[in-house]
């Protein structure tokens, strides 16, 4: 999940300087690793929620609120808009990685509910700041900007996939499961020191800073409505799997394992990244339709896996749901980019990301509330039904944009 609202052309682009900052695969690889490390840390707590819940007596509603604060932090960072356009890529990525390291320290030192809330908020801010600036940085360092944008998106998803897997492995096999994962990620974040070896691509510009405006021009409202509904539906599946997989596995499949929780989340986000790669050359609106048709299939398998107590069904459902969400996310952003004037890209992309992160948080909190009154299968079924309706509505709206051709 990256923030393409901050991907304008570099501000320091005279011929000699542009040639100086481009080229060099090591520079590109360095920024990719920095982005990957921050995204890894952002998703690390997913398999640890079950341990926190058992030790602190947290309900599913509280767990989802903790998870939602991550999205609040990301959206708050998104509203900073093009800050790296003004003060520089390194000037944003460096402090963002420091915030990510501080979040690890908060998690490690304060394994309490206030510590969880603060740590999650900080990690969201770090992710939001890093993705926007790193995506713009890659476009300036890589000789092919379109390839760089895809590289940033896939790297983000792979980081979100690797975080739960790393957290699950360390929680399962390493000592002190609520300390060791954060120490490992904090060590990875030391890679931020490599920023000192990279060139700055932006010349600082004076002037008053303003928060990113959220707006959609009239000419793009039809396509925005279609892709916003689609990305909301897709991210709701990712939110469910990131926030409540431990609850689903524990109560539904009777499997209490941080490793399995991490594996499920890894399957979902890994499939999202792979689907973005596979669909990179597909026409954006048609790809959105395909993504929205895949998501209900994944949801059916997830719900069916609960009474069947089938981990295999659950994993396949998670992979299909994640894949559909990944396709919808990439193609929705591409559809907007093709239909929005360049001067309005930032505000439209920011609005799109707000829709995505609302989908990531609001539905999963609703599921947690349902769990306090209804059975797991009933709650999951209601969620699947609502999201399926949203996905079909998004597919129908997208099909209308292509004249009815799927």
């Amino acid at each position: 999940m990256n923030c393409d609202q901050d991907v304008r052309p570099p501000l320091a682009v005279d011929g000699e300087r542009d040639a100086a900052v481009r080229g060099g695969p090591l520079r590109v690889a360095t920024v990719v690793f920095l982005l990957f490390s921050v995204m890894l840390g952002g998703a690390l707590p997913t398999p640890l929620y079950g341990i926190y819940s058992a030790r602190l007596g947290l309900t599913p509603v509280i767990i989802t609120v903790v998870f939602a604060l991550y999205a609040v932090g990301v959206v708050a960072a998104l509203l900073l808009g093009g800050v790296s356009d003004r003060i520089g890529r390194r000037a944003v990525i460096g402090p963002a990685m420091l915030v990510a390291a501080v979040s690890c320290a908060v998690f490690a030192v304060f394994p309490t509910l206030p510590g969880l809330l603060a740590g999650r908020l900080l990690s969201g801010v770090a992710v939001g700041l890093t993705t926007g600036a790193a995506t713009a940085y890659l476009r300036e360092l890589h000789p092919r900007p379109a390839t760089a944008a895809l590289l940033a998106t896939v790297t983000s998803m792979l980081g979100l996939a690797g975080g739960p897997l790393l957290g699950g492995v360390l929680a399962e096999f390493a000592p002190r499961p609520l300390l060791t994962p954060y120490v490992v990620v904090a060590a990875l974040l030391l890679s931020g020191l490599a920023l000192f070896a990279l060139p700055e691509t932006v010349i600082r510009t004076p002037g008053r800073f303003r928060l990113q405006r959220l707006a959609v021009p009239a000419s793009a409202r039809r396509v925005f409505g279609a892709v916003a509904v689609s990305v909301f539906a897709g991210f709701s599946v990712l939110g469910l799997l990131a926030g409540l997989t431990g609850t689903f596995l524990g109560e539904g499949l009777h499997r209490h394992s941080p490793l399995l929780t991490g594996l499920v989340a890894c399957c979902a986000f890994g499939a999202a990244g792979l689907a973005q790669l596979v669909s990179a050359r597909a026409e954006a609106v048609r790809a959105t339709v395909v993504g929205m048709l895949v998501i209900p299939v994944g949801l059916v398998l997830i719900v069916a896996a609960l009474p069947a107590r089938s981990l295999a069904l659950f994993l396949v459902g998670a992979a299909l749901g994640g894949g559909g969400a990944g396709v919808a996310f990439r193609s929705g952003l591409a559809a907007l980019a093709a239909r929005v004037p360049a001067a309005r890209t930032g505000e439209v992309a920011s609005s799109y990301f707000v829709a995505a992160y609302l989908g990531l948080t609001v539905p999963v909190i609703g599921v947690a509330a349902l769990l306090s009154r209804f059975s797991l299968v009933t709650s999951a079924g209601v969620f699947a039904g609502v999201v399926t309706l949203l996905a079909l509505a998004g597919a129908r709206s997208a099909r209308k944009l292509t004249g009815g051709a799927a």
Side-chain angles (χ1 to χ4, degrees):
M1 291 175 277
N2 66 23
C3 306
D4 275 352
Q5 80 273 15
D6 195 18
V7 292
R8 301 164 205 162
L11 301 183
V13 290
D14 63 81
E16 290 186 5
R17 178 167 174 82
D18 190 43
V21 298
R22 287 194 188 277
L26 184 58
R27 292 172 177 175
V28 172
T30 299
V31 177
V32 165
F33 186 77
L34 299 182
L35 175 60
F36 176 80
S37 298
V38 173
M39 300 305 292
L40 193 81
L44 185 74
T46 295
L48 308 180
Y49 289 141
I51 302 175
Y52 285 117
S53 181
R55 294 191 181 182
L56 302 176
L58 305 180
T59 65
V61 172
I62 297 299
I63 289 296
T64 55
V65 169
V66 171
F67 171 71
L69 272 182
Y70 165 78
V72 171
V74 174
V75 171
L78 291 179
L79 294 179
L80 293 177
V83 63
S84 74
D85 284 343
R86 185 175 294 278
I87 67 172
R89 311 306 183 203
R90 297 191 308 175
V92 171
I93 296 174
M97 296 193 73
L98 180 60
V99 171
V102 170
S103 77
C104 288
V106 170
F107 280 127
V109 177
F110 303 105
T112 61
L113 179 57
L116 269 176
L117 294 170
R120 225 43 200 117
L121 181 63
L122 288 171
S123 64
V125 170
V127 165
L129 290 174
T130 303
T131 50
T135 299
Y137 210 0
L138 285 172
R139 283 201 173 193
E140 293 157 3
L141 294 174
H142 198 285
R144 292 187 294 276
T147 302
L150 181 62
L151 181 62
T153 302
V154 174
T155 298
S156 296
M157 284 297 179
L158 290 179
L160 292 173
L165 186 60
L166 176 64
V169 169
L170 293 175
E172 191 85 20
F173 301 112
R176 306 192 68 178
L178 297 185
L179 174 63
T180 304
Y182 301 114
V183 172
V184 171
V185 170
L188 290 176
L189 291 171
L190 290 175
S191 60
L193 294 173
L195 279 170
F196 290 107
L198 297 179
E200 181 54 76
T201 55
V202 171
I203 297 175
R204 290 185 179 230
T205 55
R208 188 178 65 178
F209 175 75
R210 291 181 295 180
L211 292 178
Q212 177 64 59
R213 180 183 176 216
L214 301 179
V216 180
S219 61
R221 285 174 188 167
R222 189 172 171 224
V223 66
F224 181 85
V227 300
V229 169
S230 299
V231 80
F232 184 96
F235 269 49
S236 68
V237 178
L238 295 177
L240 179 79
L241 295 170
L244 286 177
T245 287
T247 299
F248 275 50
L249 292 181
E251 295 185 16
L253 277 62
H254 301 288
R255 292 174 178 264
H256 302 272
S257 166
L259 178 58
L260 289 180
T261 301
L263 182 62
V264 170
C266 179
C267 280
F269 285 98
L274 180 61
Q276 289 180 351
L277 269 178
V278 171
S279 65
R281 296 181 181 275
E283 196 280 323
V285 175
R286 287 183 173 83
T288 299
V289 174
V290 172
M292 288 301 98
L293 295 180
V294 169
I295 283 175
V297 179
L299 289 172
V300 167
L301 294 180
I302 289 172
V303 175
L306 299 176
R309 297 185 182 177
S310 171
L311 179 62
L313 274 181
F314 201 90
L315 284 169
V316 174
L320 288 175
V327 171
F329 173 76
R330 186 211 65 81
S331 50
L333 201 57
L336 287 174
R339 291 166 171 81
V340 174
R344 306 290 300 274
T345 299
E347 59 197 48
V348 174
S350 293
S351 302
Y352 181 74
F353 278 98
V354 168
Y357 279 95
L358 284 174
L360 193 73
T361 53
V362 174
V364 71
I365 293 175
V367 173
L370 287 173
L371 286 172
S372 65
R373 301 193 60 180
F374 303 100
S375 71
L376 180 64
V377 174
T378 299
S379 302
V382 170
F383 171 84
V386 171
V387 173
T388 294
L389 290 176
L390 287 172
L392 295 178
R396 185 170 181 269
S397 298
R399 285 192 64 184
K400 288 182 178 179
L401 297 174
T402 63

